[in-house]
Amino acid sequence: MNKALNARMPRLWHALALVWLLVVVLVAAHQWHFWRAANLDSDVLTLLPQDEHAPEVSAATRRLAEQTSRQVVVVLGGKNWDQVRQAAEAHRAAVAARPGGLKPLPGMDAAGLAQVLDFYRPYRDRLLTPAQRAQLADSPPATLVQSALAGLYQPGVGLKLSDWVTDPLALWPQWWAQRAGESRARLRDGWPWVAANGMDWVVLVYELSGPAFAMDGSTPITDTLAQAAAAVQTPDLRIVSIGIALHAEAAAAQANREVNTIGWGSLAAVLLLVWLAFRSLRPIALVSLSLLVGCATALSVTALLFGKVHLLTLVFGASLVGVAEDFGIHYFATRQSRQGQARWAVMGNLLPGLALALTTSVLAYLVLGLAPFPGLRQMAVFSSVGLVAAFLTVVCWFPWLDRGQVPMSGFAQRISYSLDHVPVLRMRPALWASALVMAALMVFGINRLQTNDDVRQLQGSPKALIDAQREVGALLALPSPAQFYLVRGQDAEQVLVREEALKQALEPLAAQGLVGGWRAVSDWLPSQARQQADAALTARAEHEVLATVAQQLGETFTRPAFAPQALDLASWLAHPVSAVARPLWLGEVNGQMSSVVMLQGVAGAASLPHLAQLAEGLDGVRWVDTTANVSSLLGRYRVSMLGLLAGGYVVVFLALFWRYRGDAWRAWVPTVLASGLSLAIQGFCGIPFQLFNVLALVLLLGMGVDYGIFLLEHRGDRSAWLAIALGAASTLLSFGLLALSSTPALQAFGFTMACGVSLVWALSPFFRPPERLPQ
């Protein structure tokens, strides 16, 4: 029967190889389409968990980011206004000379202002400031008449009596003065101008006409702005650029560098180890093939499941190279020690241990995706699928493609026999004393841990961009996107009415200096109820004024006709005039219409509780502190993932016990000790403890027990120790390279993994079964 089975093995493996080849061909076809479409994401918000108490907040935050992500602001400053204006003209011309990429935002010059005035003029009678509304409602007619006459008798006005008749109380300029007060920029010689820090500044706003970034490492937007700056740069001129698009492009370029550093660095380390161990190109080629298929399949499945793949997923997935090579290395290490055994028989003997190791690793990765955390789910799916694909490549193709012998190298021999120098632990007093010392160190180090769940650890933007954002934000008094009010209603009218109630409630806080101002859609598009009430109020007051003044002057005045209908949302959004506040209108979010009211000049953290409390008494209004909310979520998930980690240890031990019974602890304890010691080292080094450290421990659990599994599965087999040593070294190099990432979270992950893998590698041989190795 065994002979018949051995005869059928090549045919069986041949069939498996063809089936897997068909799958890989489909993956290759998808890869071709994927990289042409470049369905990659750089928005850090898509990595973060939904707020389980208010998912509409997460959805609104993402929508707000989408609305504002396609604008780039450039400010040019100098002490000579003519020089600054000429530089602005040259800068705009230089940007226009570059095809695609950026185009000027309409409405930011004198021609745009004229267009805005023409759009709003038919609705002039229903555009009032709160002060004007109070004046018209409370002032007696005589007072209004005196005000109108004072305006009429100003020098030069008599020549423009028709203009005076259209706005006898000068309401129109006052409304525009308040709108202009929302921004520090004013028009000067047709350019948006700000005077600050002893310099004159021109503000240029561009819109993206193409994709925000590419994954080839190029930075077209940054390059365009750099070339434009170089074309106009003079010694006294300062140019600063900001925009979410610049952060996205920098993140893409950084991810490209890190994928190359981590991915290619890991691959180079793996291939070097394979060459030193086996001194043959065939193992190098086949191990590389398994890694390539694993990463490509992982990318395709992740893209199909999530639509887009995040850049941090690629950076994290690049470290998969240091894990997925274990299967191929174990196969060739066993082939090296069993030269006369058939390839299919070698794989058959290895299959139970490889399958169990794959199961524990995949379970560890999948635990990362249990929480509602989109970023972790992507990373978990990417890594799990990559491991399974690499495993299937080894199992299905290696016995068929591996023709010839694998020579024993001196490097492999020295590593294999190094196991003889590691004693097996026995229950002696010295062991108990060492255990007590180790436990004391772990407790002391873990007690020194300090947590840090700040969401900004997920961001790795260059310092220059962050500094530029702060400088321009202060120069233009830009509102912070981190805190805002979310206003929701059944329809657009209800949203605008609630915005107006919110602004009225904010007035006392502004009077106290807790907030400097705000930006809202209702500033530019009042609710229809407000428009109708203001139109009636204005009509009554102006009719009385015109009638009284006409009687005094013996003239006949006819008040102009205005638009019969109130200005509506659809007309406003369809016109370029809405560009100034369009990002604040979110539209339908989770079944309700939504907008945001953004704040300017918030007086520090002490004012935040007052701003939050204000929203509690207003229908449909919610205070959103994005940084605090997401950081709180990360803290909660850090605690919950610690609970999952504890449960994972129990599940893994039960799986080990099912196969190894009384020896299960030998594969389990080294990982437990390595996890505790890694935390202690982190505490001694003063490195903050965060969610990504917990995630590293979860992954360490799935990977660390693999070493014990192979030592138990192949007792007395030096080739198993060779495979463990090579796999641990490549894994250590792979995850250690994550410490080179510019993202603090990935640095923390890489540090914990580097410590943990090193400790498991060092501890595992001490816990192997006390069996003499064959001579």
Side-chain angles (χ1 to χ4, degrees):
M1 183 176 179
N2 288 337
K3 290 182 179 180
L5 180 62
N6 289 335
R8 291 198 304 269
M9 287 291 279
R11 293 196 298 272
L12 175 62
W13 247 277
H14 189 197
L16 291 174
L18 291 177
V19 171
W20 184 238
L21 177 62
L22 176 62
V23 174
V24 172
V25 169
L26 294 176
V27 168
H30 178 268
Q31 286 290 294
W32 185 76
H33 288 286
F34 175 84
W35 288 109
R36 291 186 65 192
N39 289 322
L40 299 170
D41 189 7
S42 69
D43 183 7
V44 71
L45 293 176
T46 60
L47 287 173
L48 303 178
Q50 296 278 345
D51 188 334
E52 64 271 24
H53 301 300
E56 69 274 7
V57 172
S58 298
T61 303
R62 289 187 177 88
R63 188 74 60 83
L64 178 62
E66 292 170 1
Q67 296 275 50
T68 59
S69 64
R70 303 194 67 79
Q71 291 187 0
V72 174
V73 178
V74 181
V75 294
L76 300 89
K79 296 184 179 298
N80 185 300
W81 167 244
D82 290 332
Q83 183 185 61
V84 173
R85 180 173 50 80
Q86 293 170 7
E89 294 174 353
H91 191 281
R92 181 171 288 181
V95 170
R98 299 266 300 187
L102 297 173
K103 60 181 181 180
L105 185 70
M108 297 299 293
D109 51 18
L113 178 59
Q115 188 181 31
V116 171
L117 291 173
D118 290 341
F119 175 81
Y120 275 109
R121 188 169 283 110
Y123 308 99
R124 192 275 299 168
D125 64 326
R126 64 211 65 178
L127 301 175
L128 297 178
T129 68
Q132 291 172 330
R133 194 173 298 114
Q135 178 190 13
L136 296 183
D138 300 337
S139 299
T143 302
L144 296 177
V145 169
Q146 291 299 319
S147 175
L149 288 172
L152 177 61
Y153 291 137
Q154 285 181 0
V157 174
L159 300 176
K160 300 179 180 179
L161 188 59
S162 59
D163 292 341
W164 176 86
V165 171
T166 63
D167 186 15
L169 293 173
L171 301 175
W172 184 234
Q174 295 174 33
W175 187 83
W176 276 109
Q178 188 174 78
R179 300 287 74 75
E182 296 177 3
S183 171
R184 289 183 179 175
R186 302 289 184 271
L187 281 181
R188 180 177 178 182
D189 297 335
W191 294 91
W193 161 78
V194 175
N197 304 324
M199 302 171 69
D200 291 313
W201 299 83
V202 167
V203 183
L204 302 177
V205 183
Y206 296 101
E207 278 188 319
L208 269 70
S209 58
F213 61 89
M215 196 51 204
D216 58 1
S218 63
T219 53
I221 301 173
T222 303
D223 294 344
T224 295
L225 294 177
Q227 290 184 12
V232 303
Q233 187 66 58
T234 62
D236 297 328
L237 187 70
R238 178 165 173 73
I239 304 176
V240 186
S241 305
I242 65 169
I244 294 177
L246 298 179
H247 289 267
E249 191 174 73
Q254 173 186 304
N256 180 271
R257 292 191 300 269
E258 293 182 359
V259 166
N260 287 332
T261 300
I262 297 170
W264 292 109
S266 301
L267 181 61
V270 168
L271 297 183
L272 177 61
L273 289 171
V274 171
W275 168 256
L276 292 174
F278 306 119
R279 296 300 175 93
S280 173
L281 293 178
R282 188 173 68 260
I284 291 178
L286 291 181
V287 170
S288 300
L289 177 64
S290 69
L291 298 178
L292 177 63
V293 172
C295 290
T297 306
L299 185 58
S300 292
V301 173
T302 304
L304 291 172
L305 289 179
F306 294 94
K308 287 188 175 183
V309 180
H310 200 279
L311 297 178
L312 283 183
T313 300
L314 289 183
V315 176
F316 179 85
S319 63
L320 180 68
V321 171
V323 183
E325 95 296 341
D326 284 1
F327 308 119
I329 288 178
H330 274 279
Y331 169 81
F332 281 108
T334 305
R335 279 270 289 133
Q336 189 181 59
S337 64
R338 302 177 185 178
Q339 298 286 352
Q341 194 170 4
R343 303 185 300 276
W344 296 276
V346 170
M347 182 57 72
N349 292 331
L350 285 175
L351 202 52
L354 291 178
L356 184 58
L358 172 70
T359 301
T360 58
S361 296
V362 169
L363 284 175
Y365 276 118
L366 291 180
V367 167
L368 306 185
L370 291 179
F373 201 132
L376 293 182
R377 286 177 173 174
Q378 271 206 20
M379 295 176 187
V381 168
F382 188 100
S383 301
S384 299
V385 172
L387 279 179
V388 171
F391 171 83
L392 291 175
T393 303
V394 171
V395 171
C396 296
W397 286 359
F398 277 28
W400 190 256
L401 297 175
D402 178 28
R403 308 295 176 93
Q405 300 298 318
V406 181
M408 175 66 74
S409 67
F411 179 80
Q413 194 171 29
R414 285 192 295 273
I415 293 179
S416 299
Y417 280 88
S418 67
L419 187 63
D420 296 350
H421 304 292
V422 180
V424 176
L425 293 181
R426 301 182 185 277
M427 297 301 178
R428 294 175 179 174
L431 175 62
W432 292 109
S434 301
L436 289 174
V437 171
M438 188 176 296
L441 289 173
M442 282 193 291
V443 171
F444 185 66
I446 292 174
N447 282 336
R448 292 173 59 90
L449 281 176
Q450 295 182 346
T451 60
N452 182 3
D453 300 307
D454 194 335
V455 65
R456 284 167 287 195
Q457 295 184 98
L458 292 174
Q459 297 173 318
S461 292
K463 184 177 183 299
L465 281 180
I466 297 174
D467 292 342
Q469 195 80 31
R470 291 172 179 166
E471 180 179 359
V472 176
L475 179 68
L476 302 180
L478 297 177
S480 169
Q483 292 97 17
F484 57 86
Y485 289 102
L486 174 64
V487 184
R488 291 164 59 78
Q490 296 301 319
D491 52 32
E493 176 67 7
Q494 189 175 52
V495 171
L496 294 173
V497 169
R498 288 174 172 178
E499 273 194 12
E500 290 162 352
L502 170 62
K503 292 189 297 183
Q504 185 176 357
L506 281 169
E507 292 285 356
L509 296 185
Q512 299 173 33
L514 297 179
V515 61
W518 48 81
R519 292 187 182 181
V521 173
S522 55
D523 292 336
W524 299 89
L525 176 67
S527 66
Q528 296 206 8
R530 173 60 55 82
Q531 291 184 56
Q532 292 169 2
D534 285 352
L537 184 62
T538 304
R540 179 183 61 81
E542 291 184 351
H543 277 302
E544 290 179 350
V545 167
L546 290 175
T548 303
V549 173
Q551 184 179 9
Q552 293 180 7
L553 298 180
E555 297 280 350
T556 300
F557 295 138
T558 302
R559 186 172 182 262
F562 295 100
Q565 302 295 328
L567 177 60
D568 61 86
L569 177 68
S571 301
W572 182 75
L573 288 175
H575 197 276
V577 72
S578 62
V580 67
R582 190 183 301 132
L584 304 178
W585 184 256
L586 305 183
E588 185 176 344
V589 177
N590 285 15
Q592 285 193 304
M593 302 302 289
S594 304
S595 71
V596 298
V597 174
M598 304 190 74
L599 302 179
Q600 297 171 299
V602 176
S607 63
L608 298 182
H610 299 282
L611 295 170
Q613 186 178 10
L614 181 143
E616 295 175 0
L618 298 174
D619 292 336
V621 177
R622 181 184 177 93
W623 170 250
V624 178
D625 188 340
T626 306
T627 301
N629 289 350
V630 177
S631 297
S632 175
L633 276 175
L634 293 178
R636 293 204 299 273
Y637 285 120
R638 172 177 51 79
V639 175
S640 63
M641 291 301 291
L642 280 172
L644 287 174
L645 177 62
Y649 275 110
V650 174
V651 171
V652 168
F653 181 79
L654 292 176
L656 294 172
F657 185 80
W658 172 77
R659 178 155 180 86
Y660 302 116
R661 301 300 177 185
D663 283 335
W665 66 274
R666 296 184 180 277
W668 188 75
V669 170
T671 304
V672 175
L673 293 177
S675 299
L677 289 172
S678 296
L679 291 179
I681 292 171
Q682 191 169 334
F684 285 126
C685 294
I687 299 174
F689 184 61
Q690 52 156 299
L691 174 63
F692 272 72
N693 297 115
V694 182
L695 303 180
L697 294 178
V698 172
L699 184 56
L700 179 65
L701 170 62
M703 294 171 50
V705 296
D706 290 355
Y707 304 153
I709 287 173
F710 288 123
L711 288 173
L712 288 172
E713 195 72 30
H714 306 284
R715 303 190 183 202
D717 190 346
R718 293 188 180 93
S719 65
W721 174 243
L722 171 63
I724 290 170
L726 295 178
S730 58
T731 301
L732 182 60
L733 289 170
S734 176
F735 283 103
L737 288 172
L738 279 178
L740 300 177
S741 173
S742 300
T743 305
L746 292 182
Q747 289 179 358
F749 190 97
F751 178 84
T752 302
M753 283 299 298
C755 291
V757 171
S758 300
L759 289 167
V760 173
W761 183 13
L763 292 173
S764 292
F766 290 98
F767 288 85
R768 71 187 188 278
E771 181 177 339
R772 292 179 58 85
L773 294 173
Q775 300 298 322

